[in-house]
Amino acid sequence: MTDRKQRILVTGGAGFIGSNFVLQAVAAGDAVINVDLLTYAGNRANLGAIEDNPAHVFVQGDICDPESMGRVFREHRPDAVVHFAAESHVDRSILDPGAFIRTNVQGTYTLLEQAKGYWSRLAEEERRGFRFLHVSTDEVYGSLGPEDAAFSETTPYAPNSPYAASKAASDHLVRAYFHTYGLPVITTNCSNNYGPFQFPEKLIPLMVLNALEGKRLPVYGDGQNVRDWLYVGDHCSAIRTVLQRGLPGETYNVGGNSEKANLEVVHAICDLVDGLRPDARIGERRRLIEFVPDRPGHDRRYAIDARKIARELGWRPSITFEEGMRRTVTWYLENSEWVENVRTGAYREWIRQNYEARLAQ
Ligand code: NAD
Ligand code: TYD
């Protein structure tokens, strides 16, 4: 990768992917200004390794607040923005869509406005180098049938959940700021991520921790919904590649070439936890699997065609699903203090809201 060191304004850098990105960027020699509201999903402990590193500045702030975002641009004068901040959990968007409209739509609009104001006043050379990289999802493309071709950059948008719809709206705003104002934006649409620091409301960490503790493993529907899994470190390296070499106005799909049915993923987790933490009282973890009522509007299959980013920018995933899962399960087993700290009262309330009725059926 070209080694152009940058001063990057990261939003949502205390969340799962954002914190992995910040750690990777700082290790590579970039400076990061990290703006995060620290919602339930944000956690400064994710950044413990760079707490005293002067290359990382943390600002607790809301992307929906134009004054504080304007101040961040003026005071820190970034070369680029990498925008992760979002409400990101589909099940929460079904129960409370309003929070998703606020942060994902209103927040992205506010950030674009502040970025545009800052960028338009830069000197010519800085203006040319500036980038606004919007981190989005494959869920904006909707659901695939078993034989359908994978999502490409030209697949029409067809979002099905309030989460996906709010991300689609933000993608359209980002696109409009390029076409209307010339703001040098780039969008990445990535498949499902997994790895260290993922909040344990998402499939993989939830199943790892339940399996470890001998709790029931709630698989929605028939467990045959398919996702294309990518190790988070590979997503971060894709974003850094796009930041260095991507073209303004373009979008790049990012995926792992690793389609798995949910049941297959849960089986892999059970077998890994059995191997790493055998427990005679629990026995084989696969017996903890329970099929529970499905998520409303549950997309059947996602798959990413990542040939454009490979062809044009030379990025490919480097971690196989087996290796990534081994690393991830090991990380959760070895970081019980992190796990205990995120499982607060609010977390337990979410588990009650989403699973109590399902598991009672
Ligand atoms: P996350 O929920 O773990 O983290 C989101 C972060 O944003 C948190 O730290 C939270 O505190 C912060 N945040 C929320 N509202 C904010 C606000 N108003 N102002 C400032 N900060 C705010 O999410 P994640 O899984 O790390 O996802 C990051 C981005 O990547 C999202 O935009 C998501 O849509 C996208 N994405 C995620 C996946 C995935 O599998 N997790 C896949 C593709 C794309
Ligand atoms: P999730 O991690 O929420 O990601 P997304 O919905 O953004 O793809 O879920 C991944 C898949 O796992 C999805 O098909 C829903 C399913 N799932 C379960 O079967 N049980 C669960 O408890 C959760 C959280 C998800």
Side-chain angles (χ1 to χ4, degrees), residues 15-17 40-41 86-93 100 139 163 192-195 197-210 218 220 229 265-266 269 295 332 347 350-351 354-355:
F16 163 49
I17 307 174
Y40 79 93
E87 289 291 337
S88 69
H89 189 32
V90 173
D91 290 321
R92 286 186 189 256
S93 83
F100 289 70
E139 305 198 21
Y163 163 66
N192 285 62
N193 284 213
Y194 67 100
F197 302 120
Q198 187 167 31
F199 194 74
E201 65 184 358
K202 303 279 170 71
L203 178 75
I204 288 180
L206 180 94
M207 295 295 174
V208 172
L209 297 178
N210 281 13
Y220 297 163
W229 292 97
V265 173
V266 176
I269 293 169
R295 169 188 283 173
Y332 280 92
Y347 176 74
W350 165 254
I351 296 295
N354 196 43
Y355 296 101

Side-chain angles (χ1 to χ4, degrees), residues 11-182:
T11 70
F16 163 49
I17 307 174
S19 61
N20 277 283
F21 177 83
V22 170
L23 294 171
Q24 201 180 95
V26 168
D30 291 322
V32 170
I33 307 102
N34 184 354
V35 179
D36 196 298
L37 184 58
L38 296 179
T39 66
Y40 79 93
N43 184 355
R44 284 199 70 172
N46 299 2
L47 303 157
I50 51 169
E51 206 168 37
D52 301 320
N53 189 327
H56 174 240
V57 176
F58 185 82
V59 179
Q60 185 170 3
D62 186 346
I63 58 161
C64 301
D65 175 3
E67 278 75 39
S68 63
M69 292 313 302
R71 199 173 327 117
V72 168
F73 276 102
R74 283 193 303 278
E75 285 179 6
H76 296 282
R77 308 197 57 77
D79 304 313
V81 175
V82 180
H83 176 34
F84 293 96
E87 289 291 337
S88 69
H89 189 32
V90 173
D91 290 321
R92 286 186 189 256
S93 83
I94 294 168
L95 292 176
D96 178 18
F100 289 70
I101 304 306
R102 179 182 182 276
T103 289
N104 301 1
V105 185
Q106 185 75 26
T108 300
Y109 156 70
T110 305
L111 193 65
L112 283 165
E113 271 297 296
Q114 295 307 315
K116 173 163 74 71
Y118 165 74
W119 164 79
S120 65
R121 287 188 275 278
L122 288 174
E124 178 57 27
E125 200 178 323
E126 290 172 307
R127 252 171 78 94
R128 233 180 304 124
F130 185 79
R131 296 288 180 272
F132 183 107
L133 194 156
H134 176 58
V135 181
S136 192
T137 167
D138 59 357
E139 305 198 21
V140 297
Y141 298 119
S143 185
L144 293 169
E147 306 303 330
D148 290 340
F151 302 131
S152 78
E153 289 78 1
T154 55
T155 302
Y157 274 33
N160 291 321
S161 71
Y163 163 66
S166 68
K167 290 296 289 188
S170 69
D171 293 9
H172 292 325
L173 280 169
V174 168
R175 175 190 158 91
Y177 272 67
F178 176 75
H179 285 275
T180 306
Y181 307 111

